């Protein structure tokens, strides 16, 4: 035990958790911590808006698999984190957020820059803490990291009243935590595993639906092995993109509202679905009652509350994706000695795949710059392990449909919350985690404007990324819905050609390009990977462009618009 | 469900052992609000210095109850949750009923009714009596109904608390 201030104890506790980077922005109520950070080895990346600290922490966590840390002052600093924390909660991202707070004796008196961040974030965190005494800090930090990173990961917020930062106490650092009410179950029930294996071996038209849980648990190898052994095609959710290589013959791409025709047709025909690490979001399933109408469903998830929440399942399995897939694979092998070589279903699936490839090729044709073609070009120009983040809207769905991800943790998009402005700060976080690979934010003009001020952060912190703006001068996805369902009444979706993105980028000391054809795009994109600063590439596309395929909200996949 | 108030939807009794900490009741009730679960009744009492016990009555179907239990279990401050089978549980509520009793006839009747319901008169003034009754919510409803003839001036009910019969426990 040693006597030290709460702020020192905090930074020491972070060091012990092997924290390398914190994304944040200081203010009065967190200054004692910043004063200690000033002398520490931990890198602090100064964002220009706290929302981006949270998104950058998400990008860091999703690229690296390690918890992402963000920090803000009390009141407005803390409330600015809220969108990012909600995003992390929806997408199960391990983020630990630290906020300053007014001194304990002022709490509840509406003090200057007091916000009830514990009340505000209770429904959007896995757990949160308000520290009461300096000596509690190491315990709270240990618990916060443990909760954020284990079981189904998620954000944890730690609120630090100013007196707990400056106060000194006898401090000790615990090695372990034990929380009575928190014991995630990771090992699946053997009987359920056996049942699943038997069904998989017997099925004539099995399909795997793989989600973000596969990436989180690092189960890609097991997934590929199982799929190859039984010749099962694999669809993913948006969050699962990259968990199964999309250049694999068994990959059907994303399923859902903007899923590939291959995935959305296969799920209508399948007689068995093995869903792993998914939560059956309405954006993945379409109309709940008409999802996979001919199939029995096996659902593997580490969160028992996800099982049966949206879709009734036949075989529920609570467990970690990696452990469970390994056990299912072992059980399958004991039931079936040789791998499956050829099936009518595999042929059908190959046909569906070909059909979509032809469709995608068609979508690349036509006048002007076509987003599907730009996605293909970027894939060709980027190394396999390059990381792509996206904004939200058409840009995101073009990327999800037509940019093939080959590795887990290389495709990072805001799934559950659909947060415009996510992609750019997330790309900064990802690049901080993986400085040796190119990181590209595939953006829309509307989304990019929501967090473009982080050009200042990326330039001054020397974290260079590439932003490709698919610039339709519209809030494109909303405009698409207006075109399809609101009689082309473009209420408040026309953004105009504002700003000049090249000048905007340059004013921050970043690089800017405007390109008018594929050759110019290719050369600017190549440049961006060599540039020492962040590069913004403004790519004009037609404001009339639609993302297809599409299933209207709340409908069955039978009603897919192509 | 028998024992607890009846309506077209069923009511279920859930007990939760929780950390005895500030904010826990907030977390639980906030969860119910956010997930659109319908709480009929919630009571909290201390079990030991670090543990409290909540008894929650919710309305819904089996699917809803399953989600409630699973979502409650996800709260870090919730140690253990179980649903009680009403057929096999003791379910009790306490009520204080202040009844208008301006004359001796009324008083006599009220005291007699209280006895039938194993209640007690715990306070008396010239114009009113306070009766304490304990029992299932149905029994308390029935008693209150009777008192309405005299005029119920004020009513305080604790909400239910419950426990499974026999040696089985909700482990802590
Ligand atoms: C913060 C936020 N506000 C509003 C929305 C609703 N919304 C979804 S897509 C979209 C349009 C996005 O426009 P843009 O970024 O230009 O991308 P595009 O669809 O044109 O590719 C909007 C407004 C949202 N998802 N997030």
């Amino acid at each position: 035990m040693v006597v030290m201030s709460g702020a020192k104890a905090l930074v020491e506790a972070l060091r012990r958790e092997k924290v390398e980077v914190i994304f944040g922005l200081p203010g009065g109520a967190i200054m004692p911590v910043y004063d200690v950070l000033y002398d520490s080895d931990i890198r602090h990346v100064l964002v220009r808006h706290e929302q981006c600290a949270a998104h950058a922490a998400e990008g860091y966590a999703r690229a690296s698999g390690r918890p992402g840390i963000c920090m803000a002052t009390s009141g407005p600093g803390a409330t600015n984190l809220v969108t990012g924390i909600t995003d992390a909660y929806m997408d199960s991202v391990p983020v630990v957020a630290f906020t300053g707070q007014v001194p304990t004796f002022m709490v509840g008196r509406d003090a200057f820059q007091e916000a009830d961040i514990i009340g505000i974030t209770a429904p959007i965190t896995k757990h949160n803490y308000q520290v009461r005494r300096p000596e509690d800090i190491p315990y709270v930090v240990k618990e916060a990291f443990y909760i954020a990173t284990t079981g189904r990961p998620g954000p944890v917020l730690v609120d630090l009243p100013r007196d707990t930062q400056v106060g000194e106490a006898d401090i000790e650092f615990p090695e372990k935590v034990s929380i009575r009410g928190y014991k995630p179950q990771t090992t699946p029930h053997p009987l359920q595993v056996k049942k699943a294996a038997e069904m998989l071996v017997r099925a004539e038209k099995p399909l795997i639906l793989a989600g973000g849980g596969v990436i989180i648990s690092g189960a890609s190898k097991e997934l590929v092995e199982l799929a190859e052994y039984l010749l099962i095609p694999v669809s993913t959710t948006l969050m699962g993109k990259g968990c199964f290589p999309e250049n694999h013959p068994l990959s059907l791409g994303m399923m859902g509202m903007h899923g590939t025709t291959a995935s959305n047709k296969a799920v209508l025909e399948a007689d068995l679905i093995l869903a792993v690490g998914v939560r059956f979001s309405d954006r993945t399933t379409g109309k709940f009652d008409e999802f996979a109408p001919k199939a029995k469903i096996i659902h593997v998830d580490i969160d028992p509350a996800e099982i049966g929440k949206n879709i009734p399942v036949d075989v529920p399995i609570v467990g970690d994706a990696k452990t469970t897939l390994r056990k299912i694979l072992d059980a399958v092998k004991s039931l079936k000695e040789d791998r499956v070589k050829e099936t009518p279903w595999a042929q059908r699936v190959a046909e569906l795949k070909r059909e979509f490839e032809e469709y995608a090729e068609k979508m690349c044709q036509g006048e002007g710059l076509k987003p599907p073609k730009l996605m293909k070009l970027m894939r060709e120009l980027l190394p396999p392990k390059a990381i792509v983040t996206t904004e939200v809207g058409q840009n995101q769905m073009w990327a999800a449909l037509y940019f093939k991800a080959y590795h887990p943790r290389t495709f990072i998009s805001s799934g559950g919350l659909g947060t415009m402005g996510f992609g750019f700060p997330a790309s900064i976080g990802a690049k901080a985690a993986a400085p040796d690979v190119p990181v590209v934010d595939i953006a829309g003009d509307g989304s990019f404007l929501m967090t473009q001020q982080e050009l200042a952060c990326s330039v001054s912190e020397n974290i260079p990324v590439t932003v490709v703006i698919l610039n339709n001068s519209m809030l494109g996805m909303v405009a698409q819905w207006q075109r399809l369902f609101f009689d082309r009444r473009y209420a408040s979706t026309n953004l105009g050609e504002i700003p000049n993105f090249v000048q905007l980028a340059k004013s921050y000391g970043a690089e800017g390009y405007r390109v008018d054809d594929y050759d110019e795009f290719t050369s600017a994109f190549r440049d961006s990977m060599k540039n020492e600063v962040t590069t913004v590439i403004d790519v004009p596309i037609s404001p009339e462009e639609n993302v297809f395929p599409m299933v209207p909200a709340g409908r069955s996949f039978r009603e897919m618009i192509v | 469900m028998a024992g607890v108030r009846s309506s077209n939807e069923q009511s279920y009794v859930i007990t939760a052992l929780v950390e005895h900490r500030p904010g826990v009741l907030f977390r639980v009730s906030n969860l119910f609000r956010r997930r659109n679960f319908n709480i009929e009744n919630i009571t909290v009492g201390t079990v030991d210095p670090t543990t409290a016990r909540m008894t929650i009555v919710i309305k819904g179907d089996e699917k809803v109850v399953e989600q409630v239990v699973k979502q409650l279990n996800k709260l870090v401050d919730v140690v253990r949750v179980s649903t009680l089978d009403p057929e096999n549980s003791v379910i009790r509520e306490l009520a204080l009923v202040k009844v208008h009793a301006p004359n001796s006839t009324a008083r006599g009747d009220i005291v007699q009714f209280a006895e039938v319901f194993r209640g007690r008169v715990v306070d008396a003034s010239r114009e009113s009596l306070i009766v304490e009754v304990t029992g299932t919510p149905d029994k308390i409803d029935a008693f209150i109904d009777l008192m309405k003839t005299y005029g119920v001036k004020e009513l305080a009910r604790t909400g239910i608390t419950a426990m499974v019969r026999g040696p089985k426990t909700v482990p802590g």
Side-chain angles (χ1 to χ4, degrees):
Chain A
M1 262 201 284
V2 272
V3 175
M4 63 171 100
S5 71
K8 279 214 168 104
L10 174 70
V11 175
E12 176 57 22
L14 294 178
R15 213 187 50 78
R16 287 172 187 240
E17 295 296 332
K18 307 207 162 38
V19 170
E20 287 168 353
V21 192
I22 297 173
F23 303 91
L25 191 147
I30 192 78
M31 281 176 68
V33 173
Y34 272 84
D35 192 56
V36 179
L37 277 177
Y38 197 53
D39 296 325
S40 127
D41 295 339
I42 299 175
R43 177 179 186 188
H44 181 269
V45 173
L46 176 63
V47 295
R48 301 309 198 256
H49 185 299
E50 293 88 347
Q51 178 188 349
C52 298
H55 290 323
E58 289 187 90
Y60 179 92
R62 288 178 63 178
S64 68
R66 296 160 20 82
I69 317 304
C70 57
M71 191 172 276
T73 189
S74 66
T79 55
N80 271 352
L81 290 176
V82 166
T83 300
I85 294 174
T86 314
D87 196 272
Y89 185 68
M90 292 291 271
D91 287 345
S92 310
V93 187
V95 165
V96 184
F98 293 93
T99 50
Q101 182 56 281
V102 302
T104 311
F105 76 93
M106 293 293 282
V107 168
R109 298 188 188 196
D110 301 319
F112 178 64
Q113 295 195 328
E114 177 182 1
D116 172 21
I117 202 64
I118 294 297
I120 291 169
T121 61
I124 53 160
T125 50
K126 203 169 158 186
H127 195 51
N128 61 20
Y129 295 87
Q130 185 167 68
V131 171
R132 307 266 150 169
R133 305 175 306 176
E135 58 267 42
D136 294 341
I137 286 177
Y139 291 88
V140 167
V141 170
K142 192 97 205 153
E143 284 190 17
F145 276 74
Y146 178 64
I147 291 170
T149 55
T150 52
R152 176 184 182 171
V156 176
L157 180 134
V158 179
D159 196 30
L160 300 154
R162 203 172 189 283
D163 52 320
T164 67
Q165 302 168 39
V166 291
E168 297 204 331
D170 267 340
I171 303 284
E172 64 180 5
F173 295 91
E175 294 295 328
K176 279 204 190 93
V177 283
S178 159
I179 307 164
R180 312 198 262 179
Y182 181 74
K183 304 248 154 38
Q185 182 187 339
T186 55
T187 317
H189 197 287
L191 281 180
Q192 299 296 86
V193 168
K194 192 161 157 261
K195 223 191 267 174
E198 284 166 2
M199 285 166 81
L200 282 166
V201 169
R202 241 186 296 121
E204 281 174 14
K205 299 174 178 181
L207 173 68
I208 293 173
L209 174 60
V214 174
I215 296 176
I216 293 167
S217 83
S220 289
K221 189 164 155 269
E222 288 74 10
L223 178 64
V224 172
E225 256 184 84
L226 179 64
E228 287 179 347
Y229 197 82
L230 292 176
L231 229 52
I232 309 178
V234 179
S235 298
T236 71
T237 63
L238 179 70
M239 293 303 297
K241 227 178 125 66
C243 75
F244 189 81
E246 292 188 296
N247 52 351
H248 192 287
L250 289 169
S251 165
L252 296 183
M254 185 173 77
M255 183 186 292
M257 177 178 269
H258 286 287
T260 64
T261 53
S263 276
N264 287 1
K265 285 183 180 177
V267 69
L268 290 172
E269 296 175 22
D271 65 359
L272 179 67
I273 309 278
L274 170 62
V276 191
V278 306
R279 62 181 178 83
F280 291 114
S281 134
D282 53 279
R283 285 299 190 261
T284 297
T285 63
K287 191 172 183 187
F288 287 146
D289 302 342
E290 290 176 31
F291 175 74
K294 297 178 181 154
K296 293 244 185 271
I297 297 179
I298 304 165
H299 188 189
V300 179
D301 205 276
I302 198 156
D303 179 358
E306 285 307 338
I307 292 176
K309 187 182 77 179
N310 289 348
I311 298 280
V313 300
D314 300 283
V315 183
I317 306 183
V318 177
D320 165 67
K322 190 183 178 77
T323 317
T324 307
L325 284 177
R326 172 58 57 201
K327 288 190 190 268
I328 290 178
L329 187 63
D330 290 347
V332 162
K333 283 184 177 165
S334 72
L335 291 169
K336 199 170 180 65
E337 267 171 42
D338 299 314
R339 64 167 52 217
V340 176
K341 301 260 158 41
E342 190 52 72
T343 64
W345 175 237
Q347 277 172 22
R348 170 66 182 146
V349 163
E351 187 183 308
L352 287 173
K353 242 178 103 74
R354 219 173 309 121
E355 184 188 280
F356 181 70
E357 292 304 329
E358 281 163 20
Y359 176 84
E361 200 42 58
K362 224 174 64 205
M363 299 309 269
C364 291
Q365 309 300 321
E367 268 199 33
L369 291 158
K370 294 288 179 186
K373 170 97 177 173
L374 292 163
M375 299 304 144
K376 286 197 174 173
L377 267 176
M378 281 191 271
R379 181 67 285 176
E380 285 162 19
L381 295 167
L382 286 168
K385 294 213 166 165
I387 296 171
V388 161
T389 68
T390 78
E391 299 295 344
V392 167
Q394 294 181 309
N395 60 85
Q396 177 184 35
M397 291 301 124
W398 277 314
L401 272 162
Y402 302 108
F403 182 89
K404 293 192 172 173
Y406 298 156
H407 293 281
R409 304 198 179 280
T410 62
F411 188 88
I412 300 174
S413 189
S414 167
L417 198 63
T419 309
M420 289 169 71
F422 166 85
F424 182 42
S427 74
I428 294 173
K431 182 75 180 178
D436 299 331
V437 297
V439 179
V440 180
D441 171 33
I442 296 175
D445 46 328
S447 296
F448 183 61
L449 280 180
M450 289 204 180
T451 50
Q452 51 74 28
Q453 78 284 346
E454 299 310 325
L455 283 167
C457 167
S458 80
V459 170
S460 60
E461 298 279 349
N462 193 19
I463 306 177
V465 299
T466 301
V467 181
V468 174
I469 303 175
L470 303 175
N471 188 352
N472 50 15
S473 304
M474 299 289 275
L475 294 169
M477 184 58 95
V478 182
Q480 172 166 344
W481 284 47
Q482 288 168 332
R483 213 154 27 243
L484 295 174
F485 313 118
F486 289 87
D487 228 3
R488 292 182 171 263
R489 289 158 53 80
Y490 295 114
S492 304
T493 44
N494 193 341
L495 298 171
E497 292 184 31
I498 306 174
N500 178 324
F501 284 105
V502 174
Q503 283 178 14
L504 178 81
K506 290 194 167 154
S507 75
Y508 283 108
E511 280 293 347
Y513 298 79
R514 167 111 174 166
V515 299
D516 288 311
D517 59 39
Y518 293 118
D519 286 342
E520 280 178 27
F521 175 76
T522 303
S523 120
F525 195 73
R526 282 217 172 94
D527 278 1
S528 80
M529 281 183 271
K530 284 179 251 144
N531 287 344
E532 280 174 10
V533 288
T534 286
T535 304
V536 175
I537 307 176
D538 183 15
V539 189
I541 61 167
S542 161
E544 295 281 318
E545 209 69 65
N546 290 319
V547 196
F548 288 133
M550 173 181 189
V551 180
R555 304 283 185 74
S556 141
F557 287 174
R558 280 180 233 286
E559 298 174 60
M560 181 163 51
I561 307 171
V562 293
Chain B
M1 189 183 80
V4 182
R5 244 159 280 166
S6 54
S7 82
N8 10 346
E9 273 184 308
Q10 280 203 335
S11 297
Y12 292 82
V13 181
I14 294 171
T15 35
L17 290 177
V18 302
E19 297 290 348
H20 198 330
R21 250 185 224 149
V24 176
L25 182 59
F26 159 70
R27 285 177 204 275
V28 170
S29 55
N30 205 25
L31 170 79
F32 281 80
R33 178 198 53 75
R34 143 148 167 63
R35 296 267 171 200
N36 236 341
F37 299 141
N38 213 341
I39 308 193
E40 283 212 313
N41 177 84
I42 185 163
T43 57
V44 197
T46 306
V47 173
D48 64 43
T50 62
T51 316
R53 180 175 175 124
M54 289 187 182
T55 307
I56 302 156
V57 182
I58 58 147
K59 256 196 189 155
D61 54 25
E62 251 171 63
K63 225 190 127 209
V64 170
V65 177
E66 187 186 319
Q67 263 297 307
V68 170
V69 170
K70 284 174 168 179
Q71 294 293 346
L72 277 173
N73 263 318
K74 280 176 73 165
L75 293 180
V76 171
D77 283 341
V78 171
V79 181
R80 193 142 306 159
V81 186
S82 55
T83 350
L84 292 189
D85 170 10
E87 302 296 325
N88 202 17
S89 308
V90 179
I91 294 173
R92 289 292 179 272
E93 183 175 10
L94 182 145
L96 296 175
V97 194
K98 190 175 281 178
V99 196
H100 189 56
N103 55 54
S104 56
T105 339
R107 280 166 198 273
D109 285 2
I110 293 166
V111 170
Q112 260 182 3
F113 279 127
E115 266 167 27
V116 173
F117 279 81
R118 305 229 186 119
R120 293 193 300 147
V121 174
V122 291
D123 180 70
S125 74
R126 231 167 258 148
E127 277 151 46
S128 65
L129 296 173
I130 299 179
V131 184
E132 175 197 305
V133 271
T134 318
T136 62
D138 281 351
K139 176 181 153 188
I140 291 175
D141 285 347
F143 181 72
I144 292 165
D145 246 15
L146 276 172
M147 290 305 107
K148 280 185 183 152
T149 359
Y150 306 96
V152 174
K153 291 165 70 101
E154 198 177 343
L155 177 63
R157 298 176 72 148
T158 56
I160 70 156
T161 190
M163 196 174 268
V164 69
R165 292 181 193 278
K168 247 183 81 191
T169 59
V170 177

